[in-house]
Each structure stands twice: as C-alpha cells, then as structure tokens.
Amino acid sequence: MQAKWRGMGAAAAVATPISVASAVTRAVQPLMQRYHIPGMAVGIVADGRIYVYTYGVSSKTTKQPIDAATLFEIGSVSKTFTATLVSYESLRGTLSLSDMASADLPVLRGSNFDRVSLVNLGTHTAGGLPLQVPDDVTNDAQLLSYLQHWKPAYPPGTYRVYSNVGIGLLGFITAARTHEDFSALMQRAIFSPLGLQHTYLNVPPGQMGNYAQGYTSDDKPIRMRAGELAAEAYGVRTTAGDMTRWLEANVGILPVAATLRHALTDTQTGYYRSGPFTQDLIWEQYPYPVTLAQLEDGNSPKMLFDPNPATALVPPQQPGGDVLIDKTGSTNGFSAYIVYVPSKKIGVVLLANKSYPIPARVSTAYAILSHL
C-alpha cells in the first residue's frame, strides 16, 4: 500500500493517521483477494483532509504499481461531470432544464422528444430510452435517425429507466447549444477550473503509460472502446487524486468560482422519487444516516436494468440537509464507486482495474464511510 494525505490547502505529506489507513486496508485487502483485483486506489475526504491510498499493480504483465498518476476508467461516474456541465450552462443561461430535447435538434422536432425535457434526460425519466446506444449506430447522423424513430414505453416522468442514451443526449444537446465540441467544453468549463489536471476524455499520448490495464470479471485484459455518446455518458479516465478533488468539490470544501460552486450544488437537487432513493441530476440520494441494506437496494440490478415507477417531486427537493449521495460506474474492465455526505464533509471513492460486483463496492465503501 502507498498512501498520502494533505490538509486543506496544505502540501502533500507521507504521514497518514493510523486509524484511517487501517480502516481502508481492512476493507480493501479482503476485497482484492476475493475478486482477484490487480490494483485499486481509494480516495477519502474527512476532517478537512484528503487521503489517497493505492494497492496492487496497474498491469499483471508489467507489474507496474498503482500510484498517484495511474489512470482508471470510471464508467458511469463520468455522468456526474456531464450533469455538472449541464447545471453550469443552465446557470449561465445557455439552456434550461425545462427545455424540450428537440428544441435544438431540428431532426427531432415532431418526434417523441417534443415531450421529453432536459431534466427527464438527466434523471432517466424520458420514457424508456435503452441502456446502450445500438451497436449499429456509429455516428451522429445515425444516432439522430435512431432517436427520430424512437417510441417511448412510458409517458415521460412516470418511470425511471437507467440509460446511457439519455445522459449522452443531454451532453450532446449542451454542446450543440454552446457550438463547441463536448470534450473541449468539458475541459474548459469543468476540468480546468476545478484543477483536475489528470482527468481526460481523450487520453494524451504522453499519458498512455499511466493508463492502467483493465480486466474483465474472468481476467481477460480489456480497455474501453469509444462509441457514440461515450464521452458524454461513460468516457472519463482519471486518477485517484483527481477523483478525491472531485469529492472535495461536491462536499463543498474546494474553493471554486461562485457559478461553478452553485452548479455543483444544484446537481444535488432531487427531482423524482424512485425505489429506495431520490433521483437528483444523475446523482442518487438517500436520507442520512442510511443502512447498508438501503444502499444495496438502491444499487441493485433491479434499479439498474428494470423500469421503476417514478414520482415527481413538486417542487423539486432543494439541496441540503442530511443526505448521502452516490454513483456507481463500470466498464468491461474497470469498476468505480463514489459516495459522500455533504453535510458531514466526508466521502469515499473506490477505483479498480477489474470488473467486480457492485454490492461488493457498496459494502466496502460503506465500511470505510462508517469509520469516518
């Protein structure tokens, strides 16, 4: 294990409080052994300090250790960055979450997207968009043609159906509003202002040596292949240090400009109640304290793969109070989980270069968070 901590605004140091280090190791080492995970990184925010712990190797072939520079795929945790970008552009007046999805895309006018709002796209309540973009859709023209003919299974706002397509389209529309490439817009508006210096939608050639090798659940090496809406829905590659800084930003202890601070907070607005949680703008929210059983229920296959009735919160539930917020992320070869309690200024992020079950991520993070 390698470990670092720093106080708010302080330089990095090698010493770590023994209790935190012990709690992380007790939780992570059995997990890695059980699922044969080559490497993991854990980021923690607690008591105004930032902790980063690294374990194992980034590649079973090279045996290169996981360290502060190791890049992980974070899968759908990427959606939380897209949600913040949308929130930021909303505050700037570029768009409104009440806008219909067809407003800026002429090809979709007269389609079912005339009745789907941007907030529906950001809360998985558009009416039953598929989890993935169909395999035969490989460019923007094909995507828009597919969406033009899409028929919802439910009226918008009545069911939550988890979808990469929904948040992907929301990012696509946001970039269209700004007349800017999505990746460039994300870099300019979110990554750079937050000081996320090692977070990428397109990994630079000079950083490829830091890119961990991912492994499937049956130990086959794999990395993500870019597809249509990948950047908007699941395409971020980043380090444990940057993800811990992302935790800082979302619990409100990272100094940022006022509009961006407001945007981060606004993503924690509750729009729908579905199953055991409140659906924010991508984030999923629970009353705090929360039991492990509640978190496992909220992160179950039923909530990921099945349609679940959704009830609109009118007016939306404003950010604040005692809540726990989380999001899982997966690619075929990487696993991620982020969870935090804004009122307590505490949070945990888990990154791994292997696909392993979501319940194991939730229980591991819960054990660490309970210690904090």
Side-chain angles (χ1 to χ4, degrees), residues 160-213:
R160 178 187 181 274
V161 182
Y162 188 86
S163 171
N164 285 329
V165 178
I167 186 65
L169 180 58
L170 181 56
F172 186 95
I173 291 169
T174 303
R177 281 284 182 100
T178 64
H179 306 287
E180 194 168 352
D181 172 76
F182 179 83
S183 297
L185 176 61
M186 181 67 79
Q187 183 66 50
R188 176 182 62 77
I190 306 298
F191 294 167
S192 292
L194 290 177
L196 304 179
Q197 299 179 4
H198 305 287
T199 298
Y200 310 104
L201 286 167
N202 300 296
V203 179
Q207 288 292 321
M208 289 301 294
N210 292 321
Y211 193 165
Q213 176 62 63

Side-chain angles (χ1 to χ4, degrees), residues 151-325:
K151 291 180 172 55
Y154 314 98
T158 61
Y159 274 79
R160 178 187 181 274
V161 182
Y162 188 86
S163 171
N164 285 329
V165 178
I167 186 65
L169 180 58
L170 181 56
F172 186 95
I173 291 169
T174 303
R177 281 284 182 100
T178 64
H179 306 287
E180 194 168 352
D181 172 76
F182 179 83
S183 297
L185 176 61
M186 181 67 79
Q187 183 66 50
R188 176 182 62 77
I190 306 298
F191 294 167
S192 292
L194 290 177
L196 304 179
Q197 299 179 4
H198 305 287
T199 298
Y200 310 104
L201 286 167
N202 300 296
V203 179
Q207 288 292 321
M208 289 301 294
N210 292 321
Y211 193 165
Q213 176 62 63
Y215 295 89
T216 64
S217 58
D218 56 356
D219 290 317
K220 295 179 181 177
I222 193 170
R223 281 186 181 150
M224 179 181 65
R225 291 188 298 175
E228 192 68 10
L229 299 181
E232 296 87 346
Y234 55 84
V236 171
R237 276 65 62 92
T238 187
T239 64
D242 272 15
M243 282 305 295
T244 309
R245 193 172 179 87
W246 183 233
L247 272 176
E248 280 188 279
N250 281 282
V251 301
I253 63 176
L254 183 71
V256 298
T259 303
L260 186 50
R261 160 60 45 221
H262 195 176
L264 287 157
T265 302
D266 279 358
T267 63
Q268 299 168 13
T269 300
Y271 292 99
Y272 288 90
R273 181 73 183 174
S274 186
F277 58 69
T278 296
Q279 181 67 65
D280 298 348
L281 198 62
I282 291 301
W283 294 111
E284 294 155 13
Q285 180 185 130
Y286 304 77
Y288 182 80
V290 61
T291 66
L292 176 58
Q294 288 173 303
L295 272 185
E296 289 176 332
D297 188 19
N299 288 284
S300 66
K302 175 187 175 183
M303 296 305 297
L304 180 58
F305 298 114
D306 296 346
N308 289 274
T311 302
L313 301 179
V314 183
Q317 179 181 311
Q318 294 303 302
D322 285 329
V323 297
L324 177 146
I325 296 172

Side-chain angles (χ1 to χ4, degrees), residues 105-130:
L105 301 172
V107 70
L108 295 186
R109 292 174 194 162
S111 75
N112 287 295
F113 286 95
D114 287 345
R115 293 173 292 279
V116 174
S117 70
L118 299 190
V119 77
N120 291 142
L121 295 179
T123 56
H124 307 298
T125 58
L129 283 167

